[in-house]
Amino acid sequence: MTTEDKLLGKQVEYPQHYCPAILVAVPRRLNREIYGIDHPDRLFCGYDSWHAYEASFILDNGIPVAGMLKITYPASSPSIVESKSLKLYLGSFHMEALGKTLGQAVDRFVATVAADLSALLCTEVKVHFYEDAPSFLPFDFNDYTLLEKEPDTYALQFSVYQENPALLTENIQEAGELKVCSHLLKSNCKITRQPDWGSLYIHLKGRTQPAYASLLKYIVSLRNENHFHEEICEMTFKRLSDLFQPEILMVSCLYTRRGGIDNCPCRANKPDYLPHYLPQADILTQRNFRQ
């Protein structure tokens, strides 16, 4: 049994009480080695941002509290938290009495989750609990062009559904800057092969750049890939970095929720190019339409 499939694809009883032991850390190096990411700190910086939509606990008087939890930690952490273990861990709080008042209980919940995940991942994990959505939700990607809405997109021929970096060089453009996205991102869980759906955002500036059609064909080629969300993001980043050596490169994957949790990794070649709001646990951002 590998680290990744300790819980995935298996029947596991939900813990009935607080259970940090159920958390599973998966080393990032396992996938990075496959794609030649030998020195990730030299290639990119970034964050993984998780949204847990079914966060809940109870007060000492028995009344439940329900809301959403946003969890963020840096891509420099040696491991990621496996998503099913995170779901089971957060579920173990559902019948836990955490305090007399709402404020006390929320503080205890947030502090406990942050401490447990920080210890598991050997990094600082930031956590924020939301009872209600703020009146204003910012969004990092408002000025991105949607590739599938470009003219003649539906006249293109698509036949490759396994990741193929050669698609990115089918038509290379001269120097320029692009901000594009696609809601056609789909990959599969590395262990269970269950489909994962999402949107992919790319900001690239360089001496050369891929044509829109080439980028869309590449994104579609991820359709039958079996990887975790973080791995899809880093693989795409590595391909673009190798092929175009861009001055600016940012890749973000906003996946839809599964099991009440979504994961939205982002990577950039410099901190200034990372999304501003998404990596911040204490700022809730607008969802794209598929989330």
Side-chain angles (χ1 to χ4, degrees), residues 3-4 25-32 78-80 190 231:
T3 302
E4 298 102 314
V26 179
R28 293 187 188 272
R29 62 173 175 77
L30 298 177
N31 189 72
R32 288 174 175 175
S79 300
I80 63 174
K190 191 174 190 175
E231 297 171 350

Side-chain angles (χ1 to χ4, degrees), residues 149-187:
K149 293 298 183 181
E150 285 296 286
D152 302 323
T153 292
Y154 288 90
L156 297 172
Q157 294 295 314
F158 295 84
S159 58
V160 180
Y161 301 106
Q162 292 289 161
E163 193 263 345
N164 185 351
L167 294 169
L168 291 166
T169 57
E170 280 189 345
N171 189 355
I172 295 178
Q173 307 293 322
E174 295 302 318
E177 183 172 1
L178 55 81
K179 288 184 173 182
V180 296
C181 65
S182 174
H183 299 317
L184 302 184
L185 175 62
K186 184 259 180 187
S187 55

Side-chain angles (χ1 to χ4, degrees), residues 2-4 25-41 44 48 74-81 121 190 227-228 230-231 234 267:
T2 64
T3 302
E4 298 102 314
V26 179
R28 293 187 188 272
R29 62 173 175 77
L30 298 177
N31 189 72
R32 288 174 175 175
E33 290 171 354
I34 297 173
Y35 294 99
I37 305 176
D38 301 318
H39 302 284
D41 55 319
F44 53 63
D48 297 338
S76 58
S77 64
S79 300
I80 63 174
V81 59
L121 302 178
K190 191 174 190 175
H227 291 293
F228 293 142
E230 303 91 337
E231 297 171 350
E234 293 185 359
R267 305 289 185 268

Side-chain angles (χ1 to χ4, degrees), residues 35 161-163 187-188 221-227 232:
Y35 294 99
Y161 301 106
Q162 292 289 161
E163 193 263 345
S187 55
N188 302 317
S221 81
L222 303 175
R223 197 166 180 84
N224 283 331
E225 285 297 311
N226 304 313
H227 291 293
I232 289 289

Side-chain angles (χ1 to χ4, degrees), residues 4 15 28 57 107 183 196 240:
E4 298 102 314
R28 293 187 188 272
F57 50 88
D107 288 348
H183 299 317
D196 292 319
L240 291 168

